[in-house]
Amino acid sequence: GAYPSPLNYHFFPKSCCTSPNEVICHGIPDARPLEDGDIVNIDISVYKNGFHGDLNETFLVGNVDDESKHLVKTTYDSLMLAIKACKPGMFVRDFGKIISKHCNKRRLSVVRSYCGHGIGEMFHCAPNVPHYSKNKAIGICKPGMVFTIEPMINIRSFRDKTWPDGWT
């Protein structure tokens, strides 16, 4: 079987991350029921056969307002543009340029506090993959590299606040 990578990672208390509405990432699942109009990102990471895998998706719950639909669609589209551009020889920092250009045109902000990351035998490792432009990421894409591109986009400011739980 597989083991949930987040469980006890730097004291994270759950097996996955659930990030509803204003929560950017690393939301700790709780008993709050999802409601009509919510959006929720579910991030699943597992360790199996010596390697980590990492996957997340954002879901619309019921009747979601147009602003939230715009956010989810723009985020997804920016991810697809970055993936499409991925090739050997590309600078890792250039993913941020692609994502920022797409999101800024649509009047959305790219979060700067979190980034994509390498995965493999270690859960979070090099390279760091910032999603904003003019970042200082080091590295060039090479065949065989495995990393995440996980754009986190806000409706207003790119700034974030961490909740008292230290994760959310």
Side-chain angles (χ1 to χ4, degrees), residues 6 29 34 37 60 67 69 73 75 82 96-97 108 122 131 158:
L34 295 174
L60 308 177
E67 188 176 52
K69 287 178 186 174
K73 181 176 182 346
T75 303
K97 235 186 278 185
L108 297 171
M122 294 177 58
H131 305 112
F158 67 87

Side-chain angles (χ1 to χ4, degrees), residues 86-162:
C86 188
K87 64 183 179 213
M90 180 178 180
F91 287 100
V92 170
R93 67 176 167 258
D94 289 343
F95 293 113
K97 235 186 278 185
I98 293 164
I99 292 165
S100 288
K101 181 179 177 184
H102 183 76
C103 293
N104 293 343
K105 273 192 207 175
R106 286 149 185 86
R107 305 182 61 96
L108 297 171
S109 301
V110 181
V111 173
R112 298 179 184 183
S113 301
Y114 305 101
C115 61
H117 52 83
I119 55 172
E121 293 178 354
M122 294 177 58
F123 185 26
H124 292 118
C125 57
N128 286 331
V129 184
H131 305 112
Y132 56 93
S133 60
K134 298 180 184 172
N135 67 71
K136 307 272 191 250
I138 298 170
I140 296 174
C141 295
K142 298 176 184 152
M145 286 178 76
V146 181
F147 55 90
T148 67
I149 303 172
E150 304 176 89
M152 289 158 259
I153 312 301
N154 284 351
I155 291 173
R156 289 170 190 80
S157 172
F158 67 87
R159 289 181 169 74
D160 63 285
K161 294 178 186 172
T162 303

